[in-house]
Amino acid sequence: MSNTENLTSDKALKKLNELVDDIKMCLFCTNLKTDDGATCRPMSTARVDDNGDIWFMSGKSSDKNREIKQDNKVRLYYSHPGKSSYLVVNGEARISTDRQMIDELWSPLDKTWFKEGKDDPEVSLICVSSISAYYWDTKGNQMVNFLKMVASAATGKNLVEGHQGDLSISGH
């Protein structure tokens, strides 16, 4: 992937939305100072809002909420290997119990973790504001790109189309 395309403002927000909506699941990492992977857990994204903030449902008494209260720096790893799309977001997290936002973001699947539904006293939200983000996005599916890689190796010319770069959303 040889095309570096750093995106800013609206283009960055659009790419962030596109990747997160397509991938949905990420590894949500807290306590980054230990960097041992033990504080990373799979999380499903509820929404990316108009400011580029990424929202998640979370239990008030969860380890991740406790860790965010101690240090709000987090890292999100999104990966869609089938499409060769990847995104890393470094951000600052805050915990919210805004009832209106919980109502907006609630999904029937959330009842898996919150037995009393959206009125469960354990329901909270995590909002991650991006500090920096980097993406890798290859056009086409995995099989097509594999064939292009084989052809690239044979011809010496890179036939795999894709982009990578910074996503700068601040000031949006």
Side-chain angles (χ1 to χ4, degrees):
M1 202 179 303
S2 59
N3 297 329
T4 299
E5 188 175 10
N6 296 324
L7 303 175
T8 58
S9 204
D10 289 339
K11 287 183 180 179
L13 182 58
K14 182 179 178 187
K15 178 55 90 175
L16 179 78
N17 263 302
E18 194 178 282
L19 290 169
V20 172
D21 282 348
D22 194 36
I23 300 169
K24 292 272 188 247
M25 293 295 292
C26 72
L27 277 179
F28 188 112
C29 303
T30 54
N31 200 11
L32 302 179
K33 291 175 185 149
T34 63
D35 200 26
D36 64 0
T39 57
C40 293
R41 73 276 293 157
M43 295 280 294
S44 178
T45 305
R47 175 191 296 164
V48 177
D49 69 21
D50 294 339
N51 297 318
D53 292 338
I54 305 171
W55 291 83
F56 301 87
M57 289 281 174
S58 182
K60 284 181 184 175
S61 60
S62 68
D63 289 340
K64 97 183 98 13
N65 280 36
R66 277 194 296 279
E67 291 160 359
I68 288 168
K69 287 175 185 172
Q70 292 173 356
D71 181 358
N72 72 338
K73 302 284 190 274
V74 298
R75 185 167 298 132
L76 312 175
Y77 293 99
Y78 289 89
S79 171
H80 194 312
K83 291 188 175 182
S84 295
S85 297
Y86 307 92
L87 173 67
V88 177
V89 177
N90 294 293
E92 293 181 343
R94 67 179 171 81
I95 298 165
S96 171
T97 55
D98 180 315
R99 293 305 316 166
Q100 183 178 348
M101 191 62 123
I102 290 170
D103 288 344
E104 274 183 48
L105 298 179
W106 183 261
S107 157
L109 291 176
D110 292 327
K111 194 163 181 181
T112 304
W113 292 274
F114 304 104
K115 301 298 180 203
E116 296 178 39
K118 63 183 169 185
D119 296 321
D120 191 310
E122 265 299 296
V123 175
S124 71
L125 298 170
I126 297 174
C127 175
V128 176
S129 297
S130 171
I131 295 172
S132 66
Y134 201 86
Y135 75 100
W136 299 263
D137 192 17
T138 303
K139 305 294 181 211
N141 67 36
Q142 196 171 21
M143 181 53 86
V144 169
N145 284 322
F146 174 74
L147 295 172
K148 285 181 179 181
M149 282 189 270
V150 170
S152 295
T155 64
K157 182 179 178 192
N158 185 358
L159 301 173
V160 179
E161 296 175 47
H163 298 280
Q164 67 182 38
D166 291 315
L167 298 178
S168 298
I169 300 166
S170 63
H172 190 289

